[in-house]
Amino acid sequence: MISSLANIDVAFKALAPRNADWASLLPEICVAGLALFCLVQAMALPKSLRWLIPTTARVGLALVMIMALQTGTAWNPAEATPFFAGLTKLTGDSAQGIRCTFLLSALLTSFLAGRFFKERPAPIADYHHVLLVVTAAFMLLAQSNHFVTLFVSLETAAVGLYVLVGYLRRSQASLEAGVKYLVAGGLSSALLLMGIVLVYGSLGAPGVDSLNFDQINAALTAGKGTALTMVGLALILGGAAFKLGAFPFHTWIPDVYQGAPTPTTALLGTASKAAGAFTLLLLVTGPFAPLAPKLAPLLAIAAILTLLVGNLAALATTDVKRVLALSGVSHAGFLLAAIAAVVISGANDGPMLLSIYLIAYAIGTFLVSQALIELPVAEDHQRPLLGLRGLLRRSPILASALGFGIGSLAGIPPSIGFFAKLLILIFLAKLHLWWVFGAALLSVAVSIHYYFAILREAVVRPTDDQDAVVPLEVSFTSRFLIGALSAATILGSLLAFRG
Amino acid sequence: MEHTTLAHHLLLAGLLFALGLTGVLVRRNLLVVYMCLELMLTAATLALVAFSRFNRTMDGAIFVFFIITVAAAEVAVGLALIVALYRRRGSVKSDELVTLRD
C-alpha cells in the first residue's frame, strides 16, 4: 500500500510542470493576464480615465506580439516539443505565424470596438476582457496536443464569442444572432465531444492515453482503428469544419455575421476562421495523419463545394455584411484546399501557408469593416449596398479603405490577397489537383463580380439623396489605421515576394 | 444479464444522444432546444465514463470534470442570452427569429 502511494507520488512528480512548460505559454499567459487587468481597471479607474482600458489592451497586445516573434526563434524551431506532459506542443516556427494571426486580429478588433462603442450604450472594458480571453484560448487551441486541451480551449473561445455576438443587449438582431450562434455552436461542440469520446474509447487500452495526439497517431499507425474510430473522426472533423464555416456546416454564418456587432463580425471572420483552419490542419496532420489517404479526397471535395456554395450564395445577396459573410465561406474553401494539398503532399509548411492567407484576409476584412463602422446607420445589422452610394464624395479616405480592402479580398494583383491566393493556386497546380484548382480559379472570377458590385455602389453610382452627400468626419486614429492597413496590403505582398 | 457490459452503457449513451439530437432538430422552443443540447453533452459524458471504466484508463474520467466545468459556463451564457431575448420580444420560439434575413 505504502509502495503504491510512493509510486503515485513519483508519477505526479514526473507530470508536474517544469519552468520550461510555463515559459512555452508565456504569450498566452500574458494575454490572459491582460484580460484580467482590463477588469481590474474597470473597477479601479474613475469614469474620466476609462479610455485607458482599450489603450492598455492595445499596447499590451502589441508587446505580446513582439514577444511572440522573439520567442519563436529563441526556441528550437526545428522540432515540435511537447510541453505539460504532452498536453500542448509548440509547433516550431509556425507558432509565430499562428500567434501573430490571432494577436493581430485582436488588436484590430480592439480598434474597431473603440470606434463602434463610442456611440452605443455598451461597456467597452468588458468587451476587451472577453476579446482577450478568446484570443488567449485561440492561441492555446492551435498548440494543443491533447483532446482535453483542444476541447477546453475551443469551448472557452466559443463561450466568449457567444457573449461578443450577443453583446448589444438592447438590439434584437444582436441577441437573435447570439442565440442562433449559441444553438449552432452548442450542437457542433456536442458532436465534436461525441467524436472525441468514440476515438478515445475505440483506441483505448490499459496504459495508453488515447486522448493524446501522439498516442492516437501511434495506435492508428499500428492499425488499431475500427469503424467506431472512423465515426468519431467524422464527428471531430465536422466540429472543426463548423468553426471554419465549411460546407455543409456554413448555414449559421450569414445570420450570425449580419446580426453581430460589426467588430465581432470582423473577429468571427478572421480569428475564429483562423482557429478552425489551424485546428483542422493540426488534426489531419497530427493524430489522424495515418488516415491521410482516406481523408485527402474528402477534404478536396469539401473544398470544392465550399468554394462554389459560398460564391453562388454571395452573388444573390444585397446586404454588405451578408456578402462579406458568404464570401468568407468561399475563403474558407481556399483554406480547405490548402489543407487538402498539405495532406496530400505531406509538406510541413502548411501553417505558414495558412498564416499568410489568413493575415491577408484579415487585413482586407478589417479595412472594409473600418469603412462600414464609420458610416452612420440606424441599425447595425441593416447595411444594404445602396447605403454606400456617394461614399467617394462624402469621404474619399473611406472609399479608398473600401477599395484597398476589397482589392485585397478579391485578389487583385499588387495586393497581398493576390499573393496569398497565388501561393495556394501554385501549390494546387504542383500537385495536379486540377478539380480543386479549377474551382478556386472560378471562385476568384465570380468573387470579383460581387466584390466590385460593392465598390461600384460606393464610387461610381450617383445619388440623389441629400443626406448622402454630407461629408463624413473621420477621426485621426481611423485615418491612421486605414493608411497603415492600406499600405500593408501593398507592402505585405512586396515583402512576401522578396521572401 | 448479471453483469452490465460496455455495450449496455454505450447503448444508453447512444439513445440519450439520439434523443437530444432529435430534440434539437425538431423542437421549436429555444429553452427545450437548449436542454436537448445539454442532454447530448451528458450522453457523451456517460459514454466517456463507460469507456474509461472498461478500458481501464483514468484519462476519460478526468476529462469529465473539464466537460462539466465547460458545460456550466456554456449554460450560464446561454441562459443569459435566451432570457435577454425573451425580455426583448416576449417569446422564445425559434421560428419567430426572423429579424436577420436578406
Side-chain angles (χ1 to χ4, degrees):
Chain A
M1 183 64 195
I2 288 166
S3 77
S4 76
L5 274 179
N7 279 344
I8 290 173
D9 199 39
V10 170
F12 267 115
K13 289 232 167 87
L15 290 176
R18 297 155 294 146
N19 284 343
D21 291 331
W22 295 114
S24 76
L25 288 187
L26 202 55
E28 286 77 11
I29 294 170
C30 287
V31 174
L34 205 57
L36 292 179
F37 189 55
C38 279
L39 287 189
V40 173
Q41 280 177 305
M43 279 196 299
L45 290 177
K47 270 225 164 95
S48 57
L49 287 176
R50 286 280 164 83
W51 57 269
L52 267 172
I53 299 169
T55 314
T56 33
R58 285 165 205 164
V59 172
L61 278 171
L63 289 179
V64 174
M65 209 186 297
I66 294 169
M67 177 165 72
L69 282 172
Q70 298 281 318
T71 46
T73 44
W75 292 319
N76 181 5
E79 57 191 37
T81 339
F83 287 104
F84 290 101
L87 281 180
T88 66
K89 197 181 219 173
L90 193 73
T91 42
D93 243 353
S94 55
Q96 279 185 32
I98 294 173
R99 279 177 171 152
C100 286
T101 312
F102 291 128
L103 289 170
L104 186 74
S105 301
L107 187 61
L108 294 174
T109 307
S110 158
F111 279 112
L112 286 183
R115 173 73 183 80
F116 186 80
F117 289 115
K118 225 178 244 173
E119 301 150 359
R120 288 175 178 81
I124 184 118
D126 309 21
Y127 192 90
H128 275 81
H129 169 72
V130 181
L131 171 67
L132 291 171
V133 169
V134 168
T135 308
F138 278 149
M139 286 159 73
L140 190 61
L141 172 67
Q143 311 176 32
S144 52
N145 190 42
H146 195 281
F147 271 123
V148 173
T149 325
L150 182 122
F151 185 75
V152 172
S153 46
L154 190 71
E155 285 301 293
T156 308
V159 170
L161 284 175
Y162 302 150
V163 176
L164 295 187
V165 170
Y167 201 71
L168 299 174
R169 270 185 306 165
R170 297 204 177 81
S171 152
Q172 195 160 310
S174 176
L175 286 174
E176 189 178 313
V179 168
K180 279 182 175 166
Y181 190 41
L182 176 79
V183 171
L187 185 62
S188 90
S189 59
L191 293 173
L192 173 79
L193 181 64
M194 200 59 184
I196 294 173
V197 169
L198 292 181
V199 169
Y200 164 74
S202 63
L203 297 177
V208 177
D209 178 4
S210 52
L211 289 167
N212 183 301
F213 288 179
D214 299 326
Q215 301 202 19
I216 291 174
N217 189 318
L220 287 174
T221 312
K224 295 218 177 96
T226 59
L228 215 53
T229 321
M230 299 311 286
V231 177
L233 171 62
L235 291 175
I236 291 172
L237 293 185
F242 168 85
K243 273 270 156 225
L244 180 63
F247 178 83
F249 304 98
H250 69 285
T251 40
W252 58 279
I253 282 194
D255 280 0
V256 173
Y257 277 44
Q258 188 191 5
T262 307
T264 308
T265 310
L267 183 73
L268 278 177
T270 54
S272 180
K273 213 174 272 295
F278 288 131
T279 310
L280 199 58
L281 183 72
L282 183 74
L283 289 171
V284 293
T285 56
F288 301 113
L291 303 173
K294 283 183 195 162
L295 285 176
L298 196 71
L299 287 171
I301 293 170
I304 293 174
L305 290 174
T306 308
L307 281 165
L308 296 180
V309 167
N311 277 310
L312 292 179
L315 270 182
T317 311
T318 54
D319 186 280
V320 182
K321 273 167 104 179
R322 283 181 93 90
V323 171
L324 289 179
L326 289 163
S327 77
V329 173
S330 81
H331 286 286
F334 255 98
L335 293 166
L336 261 180
I339 293 171
V342 168
V343 170
I344 289 169
S345 69
N348 55 9
D349 52 357
M352 224 52 213
L353 195 66
L354 291 188
S355 294
I356 292 176
Y357 193 92
L358 285 164
I359 287 180
Y361 176 54
I363 292 174
T365 307
F366 279 107
L367 269 173
V368 175
S369 307
Q370 186 77 43
L372 288 185
I373 276 187
E374 297 283 350
L375 269 179
V377 283
E379 293 281 353
D380 187 41
H381 68 281
Q382 283 170 338
R383 296 177 179 277
L385 284 174
L386 294 177
L388 290 173
R389 284 198 175 173
L391 185 66
L392 184 64
R393 280 170 64 197
R394 300 178 76 186
S395 166
I397 188 155
L398 290 187
S400 86
L402 206 60
F404 275 106
I406 280 177
S408 188
L409 286 176
I412 301 304
S415 68
I416 187 172
F418 165 72
F419 181 76
K421 284 198 163 88
L422 189 68
L423 273 183
I424 292 180
L425 284 173
I426 291 174
F427 199 10
L428 291 173
K430 265 191 199 157
L431 294 169
H432 305 288
L433 291 169
W434 296 118
W435 280 102
V436 187
F437 183 87
L441 215 54
L442 182 71
S443 96
V444 173
V446 175
S447 76
I448 286 177
H449 183 270
Y450 59 74
Y451 275 135
F452 278 82
I454 300 180
L455 212 53
R456 191 170 59 224
E457 295 292 342
V459 175
V460 182
R461 291 278 166 87
T463 173
D464 307 326
D465 190 356
Q466 282 306 308
D467 280 351
V469 287
V470 181
L472 284 172
E473 286 289 324
V474 181
S475 71
F476 174 74
T477 323
S478 303
R479 282 168 188 273
F480 176 75
L481 263 182
I482 289 170
L485 287 175
S486 306
T489 58
I490 306 298
L491 292 180
S493 69
L494 290 181
L495 279 180
F497 263 115
R498 283 181 62 197
Chain B
M1 281 299 286
E2 300 99 65
H3 294 289
T4 50
T5 64
L6 180 59
H8 292 112
H9 290 86
L10 290 188
L11 187 68
L12 179 60
L15 278 176
L16 282 177
F17 195 77
L19 199 63
L21 185 61
T22 318
V24 172
L25 297 177
V26 171
R27 294 300 295 262
R28 290 282 162 262
N29 187 318
L30 278 174
L31 217 50
V32 178
V33 167
Y34 205 57
M35 279 152 68
C36 290
L37 280 175
E38 293 306 312
L39 190 62
M40 287 171 75
L41 279 184
T42 314
T45 311
L46 177 62
L48 192 63
V49 174
F51 276 130
S52 177
R53 169 79 180 74
F54 285 91
N55 283 342
R56 299 191 181 283
T57 50
M58 275 303 285
D59 311 275
I62 295 167
F63 192 9
V64 170
F65 288 105
F66 287 95
I67 297 172
I68 292 172
T69 315
V70 161
E74 205 177 321
V75 167
V77 169
L79 285 183
L81 272 175
I82 293 174
V83 168
L85 187 71
Y86 180 76
R87 286 215 182 127
R88 191 85 187 87
R89 49 177 306 147
S91 152
V92 286
K93 292 279 161 55
S94 62
D95 42 9
E96 288 169 22
L97 297 179
V98 290
T99 316
L100 302 171
R101 52 180 43 195
D102 198 23

